[in-house]
C-alpha cells in the first residue's frame, strides 16, 4: 500500500492527504487508486459525513505524474485516475479542499467538484493542458466555462494562465483565502461543521446544487477518450521529454 496518500477517518471526517512532497505531490496511478478506494468506502459509510483533501509539503499537487503518464498511459475506463474522477462525481458527502500551494492540472480540476475550497494566500492554480499536449479532464471542459465563462477558461486551458488565490476567489473557483498558517484550521473547522449538520439535508443540498451529474459523467467520458488518444501522441512525448530536460517543448 502506498504512503504517498494518507487517509484517516476521525470525528466523522475522512481526510485524504497528498504525501509525496519531494515530487510536489504529483499523482501516480497508485495514489489515484488509494483515493478512489477511500472515497468509494466513504460514500457508503454512514459514519463519514465529510471528506477533506489536504497536502503535506509546500504544494497541493503538481497534478498527474508526468513520467507515469508516459510509462503507463491511463487509456481505459478502468484506469485508477478514471475511478478517482468518477468518485468525485458520485460523491454524496460534501468535499472540502485545503489548497496550500501549487495546484496543477487535476489538482485544479478536482476543485471544481469540491464544495468548500479554501486556498492559502500562496496558492497558485493552473491547468495548462494544451501546453502538455493534453485536453481538459474531470469534466472541466464543461464545469470551468460554466463557472467562470468561456473567455477566462480559455486563458487557463489554452494559454496555461495561472490564477493566484485572490483571482480564484473572485472568479468563483475558491470559497475563501487564508494566511498559510491559518488554512489548515479553517478547513478543519469547515469539515467539522459539515460533519455535525443534518446528514440527509446536507447530502440532498449537495445533490441539488450539483445538478445533472449524468451530463458531467458523459463529458468526463468524452474527455477521457480524447485525453487517452493524446497520451499516445508524439506531441505528448515531446511535452514530457521537454519537462524532464527542463526546456520549452518544440511542437513543430
Ligand atoms: N510529474 C512528475 N514529477 C513532477 C511533477 C509531475 N507533474 N511535478 C513536479 N515533479 C517533480 C520534479 O520532476 C522534481 O523532481 P526532482 O527533484 O527529482 O527533479 C520535483 O518534483 C520538484 O519539482 P520542481 O519542478 O523542481 O519544482 P518547482 O518548484 O521548480 O516547480 C512545478 C513546481 C509544479 C511548477 C513544476 O514542477 C511543474 O510545472 N510540474 C509539472 C506540472 C504539470 O504539468 N502537471 C501535469 C498537469 S496535467
Amino acid at each position: 500500500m502506498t504512503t504517498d496518500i494518507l487517509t484517516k477517518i476521525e470525528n466523522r471526517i475522512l481526510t485524504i492527504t497528498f504525501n509525496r512532497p519531494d515530487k510536489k505531490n504529483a499523482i501516480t496511478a497508485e495514489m489515484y487508486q488509494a483515493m478512489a478506494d477511500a472515497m468509494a468506502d466513504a460514500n457508503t459509510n454512514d459514519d463519514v459525513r465529510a471528506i477533506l483533501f489536504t497536502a503535506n509539503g509546500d504544494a497541493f499537487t503538481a497534478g498527474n505524474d508526468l513520467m507515469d503518464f508516459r510509462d503507463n498511459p491511463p487509456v481505459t475506463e478502468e484506469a485508477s485516475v478514471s475511478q478517482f474522477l468518477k468518485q468525485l462525481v458520485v460523491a454524496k458527502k460534501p468535499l472540502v479542499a485545503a489548497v496550500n500551494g501549487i495546484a496543477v492540472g487535476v489538482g485544479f480540476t478536482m476543485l471544481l467538484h469540491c464544495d468548500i475550497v479554501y486556498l492559502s494566500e500562496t496558492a497558485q492554480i493552473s491547468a495548462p493542458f494544451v501546453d502538455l499536449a493534453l485536453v481538459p479532464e474531470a469534466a472541466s471542459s464543461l464545469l470551468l466555462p460554466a463557472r467562470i465563462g468561456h473567455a477566462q477558461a480559455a486563458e487557463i486551458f489554452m494559454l496555461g494562465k495561472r490564477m493566484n488565490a485572490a483571482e480564484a476567489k473572485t472568479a468563483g473557483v475558491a470559497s475563501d483565502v487564508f494566511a498559510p498558517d491559518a488554512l489548515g484550521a479553517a478547513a478543519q473547522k469547515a469539515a467539522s461543521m459539515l460533519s455535525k449538520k443534518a446528514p440527509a439535508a446536507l447530502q440532498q443540498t449537495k445533490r441539488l446544487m450539483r445538478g445533472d451529474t449524468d451530463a458531467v459523467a458523459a463529458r468526463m467520458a468524452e474527455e477521457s477518450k480524447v485525453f487517452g488518444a493524446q497520451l499516445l501522441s508524439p506531441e505528448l512525448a515531446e511535452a514530457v521529454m521537454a519537462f524532464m530536460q527542463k526546456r520549452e517543448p518544440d511542437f513543430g
Side-chain angles (χ1 to χ4, degrees):
M1 218 173 88
T2 182
T3 54
D4 292 342
I5 290 290
L6 304 176
T7 62
K8 70 168 182 194
I9 297 175
E10 216 171 77
N11 301 326
R12 294 180 159 176
I13 301 164
L14 166 65
T15 302
I16 298 179
T17 303
F18 293 111
N19 186 40
R20 198 185 175 211
D22 55 323
K23 297 289 181 188
K24 303 285 172 190
N25 293 323
I27 311 172
T28 59
E30 221 182 357
M31 292 164 71
Y32 282 121
Q33 194 63 55
M35 292 194 289
D37 291 347
M39 290 183 76
D41 175 63
N43 223 22
T44 55
N45 181 348
D46 288 343
D47 287 337
V48 176
R49 302 285 173 85
I51 298 176
L52 170 62
F53 290 99
T54 63
N56 287 336
D58 63 358
F60 183 61
T61 167
N64 281 281
D65 185 295
L66 291 172
M67 279 53 110
D68 212 31
F69 251 172
R70 184 201 49 190
D71 299 338
N72 307 296
V75 289
T76 67
E77 285 282 300
E78 291 74 42
S80 55
V81 57
S82 303
Q83 292 186 43
F84 169 64
L85 296 180
K86 273 182 205 149
Q87 287 302 321
L88 290 174
V89 180
V90 301
K92 293 188 221 154
K93 321 286 167 80
L95 306 180
V96 180
V99 182
N100 51 312
I102 275 172
V104 189
V106 70
F108 179 173
T109 59
M110 67 179 278
L111 302 179
L112 300 169
H113 297 270
C114 292
D115 302 294
I116 307 285
V117 178
Y118 285 166
L119 303 188
S120 154
E121 283 162 354
T122 57
Q124 296 264 347
I125 61 178
S126 63
F129 292 111
V130 173
D131 289 347
L132 291 160
L134 288 169
V135 298
E137 34 69 319
S140 59
S141 64
L142 179 71
L143 298 175
L144 190 62
R147 184 81 63 90
I148 69 173
H150 181 94
Q152 286 199 38
E155 281 195 306
I156 286 166
F157 288 147
M158 297 184 187
L159 293 181
K161 182 186 165 185
R162 277 186 186 190
M163 270 187 172
N164 64 31
E167 289 167 335
K169 184 179 172 187
T170 303
V173 171
S175 318
D176 213 342
V177 178
F178 296 88
D181 60 359
L183 176 73
Q188 191 65 49
K189 184 176 171 197
S192 175
M193 285 170 72
L194 291 168
S195 74
K196 292 174 188 146
K197 303 277 181 196
L202 183 61
Q203 290 174 30
Q204 291 294 352
T205 298
K206 175 178 169 103
R207 188 182 67 75
L208 290 163
M209 287 177 72
R210 287 278 154 195
D212 183 2
T213 49
D214 287 348
V216 175
R219 177 61 65 94
M220 220 176 238
E222 190 185 344
E223 289 171 347
S224 173
K225 276 191 201 140
V226 188
F227 198 98
Q230 281 302 117
L231 277 179
L232 302 176
S233 70
E235 291 182 348
L236 183 279
E238 166 58 12
V240 174
M241 187 62 78
F243 175 73
M244 288 169 69
Q245 295 175 348
K246 301 190 189 296
R247 62 169 172 80
E248 288 298 310
D250 177 1
F251 295 119

